[in-house]
Amino acid sequence: MTPAADHPPSQKTAAVLTAVLRACAEHVAQRAGLPAILEASRQRDTPGLLRFLTWSASYHQAEAARLEREARTALTARKATEAAWRTVARWLTLCLHPVLLLMLADRPDSLTQEIRGLQWWAPYCVDAAAEERERARHAHAEADSLRTQQRRRPRGRRPTLVDTP
């Protein structure tokens, strides 16, 4: 237990709060209507959770597809930039010009820096896309599990929250 003041409570306070929380948990666990309350909660929350998981799976799939496109674009751009770098290097051998030196130098906005960035960006996008695919797979699995649980439950009379005399 940590209060808002960020220092631990005294032993007496911790003992009292622990005892109160245990008593509350025991009281709730002993209620005769607890299974009905839990079932009603599941029935109420499951559709919303299924909607969220379905949205989450499609979002992560779309994000993975975007990152894969970005990786392909980065690979293409890197090849083009490397070709430009080789062309500038050939020109430099023919004519020693300061602009050509700046294009090849290891400095911001040079072809060398652009190649370095693209060499890093493409693998990063591939790894991030794999992570997004895994998140989508996990959301699908959770949604499938919830649907399976829904099908297994009997569709009879809904449980009541109040015991009838």
Side-chain angles (χ1 to χ4, degrees):
M1 284 184 248
T2 307
D6 245 2
H7 55 79
S10 68
Q11 284 184 335
K12 186 176 181 179
T13 304
V16 168
L17 287 173
T18 302
V20 167
L21 289 172
R22 280 192 182 131
C24 289
E26 288 172 8
H27 174 73
V28 168
Q30 292 174 359
R31 289 188 63 174
L34 182 61
I37 291 170
L38 292 174
E39 181 62 25
S41 175
R42 260 188 234 103
Q43 287 178 357
R44 184 191 75 229
D45 292 341
T46 299
L49 187 54
L50 279 172
R51 280 191 305 275
F52 169 75
L53 288 170
T54 302
W55 169 85
S56 178
S58 65
Y59 170 80
H60 289 299
Q61 285 174 340
E63 201 56 21
R66 182 189 67 79
L67 286 163
E68 288 166 352
R69 282 191 308 273
E70 187 108 8
R72 284 191 299 275
T73 302
L75 286 172
T76 304
R78 189 185 89 209
K79 287 178 184 177
T81 305
E82 286 171 347
W85 190 93
R86 285 190 294 277
T87 301
V88 170
R90 266 189 257 118
W91 289 347
L92 186 63
T93 61
L94 299 174
C95 172
L96 194 60
H97 195 279
V99 172
L100 297 175
L101 284 172
L102 286 175
M103 290 176 75
L104 297 176
D106 190 11
R107 46 175 278 122
D109 297 330
S110 70
L111 290 172
T112 304
Q113 283 296 318
E114 188 173 339
I115 290 170
R116 280 195 183 145
L118 291 170
Q119 283 175 331
W120 168 85
W121 185 244
Y124 169 80
C125 288
V126 169
D127 292 343
E131 290 173 9
E132 290 294 329
R133 291 252 182 248
E134 180 58 27
R135 288 185 188 111
R137 187 200 61 74
H138 183 71
H140 265 303
E142 288 289 324
D144 290 344
S145 174
L146 266 178
R147 285 185 192 102
T148 302
Q149 289 175 25
Q150 270 187 323
R151 277 185 236 123
R152 271 192 264 145
R153 288 195 196 107
R155 292 278 187 210
R157 193 172 73 87
R158 291 185 96 158
T160 59
L161 296 179
V162 180
D163 294 333
T164 55

